[in-house]
Every structure is written in C-alpha cells, then in structure tokens.
Amino acid sequence: MKGTGVALVTPFNEKHEIDFEAYGKLLDFVLHGGVEYLVVLGTTGEAPTIERSEKIDIINYTFEKVNSNVPVVVGIGGNNTSEVIADLETYPLQKATAVLSTSPYYNKPSQEGLFNHYKLLAEASPKPIILYNVPGRTGSNLSWETTIRLAHESVNIAGIKEASGNMIQCMHLLKNRPIEFLVTSGDDHLGLPLIAAGMDGVISVAANCFPKIFSEMVRLCLRNEFQLAKGFQYNLLDGLDLLFAENNPAGVKAILAELGIIQNQLRLPLVPLSEQYHTKVKEYLQTLQ
C-alpha cells in the first residue's frame, strides 16, 4: 500500500441518494489515473451522514467493481468503542485489505484511552487496522509515543494515516516505527515533504479529481526524484488550496462536477462550495488544460 490511496467521495443525485452510476465513473477515473489503492467511507466520503445499509451497499459495489485488482481500505471508526467493534464484526470486509479507523472524536480521550480503544479494535477486527490521526477534526492528538506503543503491542495494527500537520511529531514517528509499519500522509499539501522525511505515500483527497498528476507526483517522491516532483506539486498547489477553502468534500465535489463525473451534491450539514470559490475552481481548471 505504498503510493497514493484515494479517499473517495460519495456521489449523490439531486434527491441526495447515492448515485452508483456516478460512483462507477469515479472509480474508473481514479483507477485509470493510476492510484495505487482505494479508501471508502472516510471523512471525504461523508461517512457520518451515510446510513449503515448504504455503507454496506457502497462496500459491496466497490469490491465488485474493483474485482481485487487494487487494494480496498474500508473506513470504520467512531467515538463509541463498542459500536465500532460491532461494525468491525458485521460489515462485509472479506475482500478488504485493511480498515482505516479515525481516532475517537469529540469526547477527547487521554492517550491511555486512545491506546485501549485501538487495542480492542485490533483484537476484534478481521483485517489489519490503519490508525487515523487527524486532530483538526477529532479534537485530540494521537501522540507518536502512543502510535509506536500500539505498533509494537498489537500485531493487527499495520500503520497510520498521519494528518496532524506536525512535522516534528511525524519525524519522531518515522524514526521509531517498526520497519514494516506503514506511515502515510493524510495531508495533500504536505505529501512531498513528508515522503522526503520517510513516509510511504499519501491517502489523498486530491486524487479524486487529479489522480494522474497527484499519483505521479507521489511516485516521483518515492523514487527520490524530488526536483521533478516539485513541478507537479506546485502546479497543483492552488488547486489544493481550493479543495479545502471551505469544507471537505465541497471543493473536490465542485471540481468533479465540473469534470462531468458526479453531481455537485452534498448531504447536510455540508453544503456545496460557495459561488465565490466555485468561480475560482473553474478558473483554476482552465490553467490545467
């Protein structure tokens, strides 16, 4: 799972139902663009507003469409440990490569609480767990010390998507990780410098709409061809800013709608990109043509 994983959006139609025709087009687009693996039902996929039955349908559709040609990682997380365990035990994960599980949000557990939460998830999960540290969303930081402790004490914890944006924390994590422990960036903007520091790739929002450019940039970084990679990174930089100008995935859905792949629909409490930024999206896309 080195390289680019795409944190897939969930397309909706005008009735805010899941648009599987558009989802199939999106899967074709990102796979043709060269991403190495798929991540479904993450934050970018608006998982908090998707019902359990819908999640199962999305998982099964993805497996059927991909047909084991690339790894599929399924997002299963939450702030109720017993509920997450129940999901791990009952979701259709037979064809999944791993589970991406965000740190508990809102209730702000201590490091010991985070350790015990993930330890129990690892014991219950039929697939390896990838930790997901994103303090800007969860309200608490999974420290590098706790991550390394989990890496050594839980054989079913295989890696981490690290999105703290803290370069010092990231370097301590990379310095102390077991050799087989996956460390991937959860921040598109910092993909290049974090791979230079030793990370294994990026789980990316941008790879939904810029799969070819972004995944090639990551491959160049992993080959230590950073001079070439910088050209790709700086070409995308204004686009990355637009992806996160208001809320995620409003930016990426606006771009995908302009590309004719999905409709520009989100479920409340998220709303589409404002007219001001949508105009900037159109202008930016003209610079890529």
Side-chain angles (χ1 to χ4, degrees):
M1 286 175 54
K2 288 191 175 184
T4 300
V6 54
L8 291 159
V9 304
T10 302
F12 303 120
N13 60 26
E14 63 278 357
K15 296 180 180 179
H16 297 112
E17 301 163 336
I18 295 171
D19 187 341
F20 281 101
E21 182 179 354
Y23 185 54
K25 288 172 63 177
L26 176 65
L27 292 177
D28 288 338
F29 181 64
V30 299
L31 292 172
H32 182 71
V35 302
E36 277 76 27
Y37 60 100
L38 308 176
V39 180
V40 301
L41 299 177
T43 308
T44 305
E46 297 175 70
T49 61
I50 296 178
E51 300 295 329
R52 177 185 176 85
S53 62
E54 294 176 318
K55 290 180 179 181
I56 291 172
D57 289 343
I58 290 169
I59 293 168
N60 285 327
Y61 182 94
T62 307
F63 290 150
E64 182 178 352
K65 180 77 173 176
V66 169
N67 195 28
S68 301
N69 288 320
V70 296
V72 176
V73 178
V74 177
I76 300 178
N79 59 355
N80 180 338
T81 304
S82 61
E83 185 176 300
V84 179
I85 289 172
D87 288 343
L88 288 168
E89 293 174 340
T90 55
Y91 273 55
L93 299 176
Q94 294 86 350
K95 297 180 181 178
T97 299
V99 169
L100 178 68
S101 193
T102 185
S103 293
Y105 45 83
Y106 187 74
N107 41 19
K108 301 176 94 170
S110 67
Q111 294 302 307
E112 192 64 21
L114 289 169
F115 174 82
N116 283 286
H117 170 81
Y118 275 124
K119 189 170 183 289
L120 288 177
L121 298 195
E123 291 171 358
S125 178
K127 297 292 179 175
I129 295 285
I130 298 173
L131 315 173
Y132 181 15
N133 183 39
V134 56
R137 285 186 177 273
T138 63
S140 63
N141 177 55
L142 181 66
S143 72
W144 70 264
E145 294 94 339
T146 301
T147 300
I148 296 303
R149 184 183 171 198
L150 285 164
H152 283 295
E153 295 190 28
S154 294
V155 294
N156 204 31
I157 292 179
I160 184 170
K161 176 184 177 184
E162 173 58 51
S164 67
N166 184 328
M167 294 294 291
I168 296 173
Q169 174 167 301
C170 290
M171 287 188 288
H172 280 294
L173 176 59
L174 290 163
K175 175 186 175 184
N176 292 283
R177 66 168 166 170
I179 192 168
E180 73 283 359
F181 191 75
L182 179 81
V183 179
T184 189
S185 171
D187 190 322
D188 287 336
H189 282 86
L190 295 179
L192 187 152
L194 287 172
I195 295 173
M199 285 198 183
D200 300 305
V202 184
I203 293 179
S204 167
V205 175
N208 281 278
C209 51
F210 309 125
K212 190 170 292 186
I213 301 173
F214 195 90
S215 59
E216 181 58 23
M217 184 271 290
V218 170
R219 283 189 289 270
L220 287 168
C221 290
L222 290 170
R223 296 198 299 265
N224 292 317
E225 298 180 40
F226 289 103
Q227 202 58 39
L228 286 173
K230 281 193 292 185
F232 286 81
Q233 174 81 4
Y234 291 138
N235 194 30
L236 284 178
L237 193 57
D238 290 340
L240 298 181
D241 290 345
L242 289 169
L243 292 183
F244 304 101
E246 292 184 333
N247 69 72
N248 179 45
V252 67
K253 281 196 164 182
I255 293 176
L256 286 168
E258 289 297 324
L259 295 176
I261 296 171
I262 70 170
Q263 295 186 51
N264 190 23
Q265 299 286 345
L266 293 88
R267 284 181 175 174
L268 288 170
L270 301 184
V271 295
L273 207 60
S274 66
E275 184 177 349
Q276 169 194 357
Y277 281 109
H278 201 118
T279 299
K280 292 181 178 181
V281 161
K282 293 179 180 179
E283 292 169 351
Y284 173 74
L285 289 175
Q286 290 297 318
T287 69
L288 292 183
Q289 296 175 1

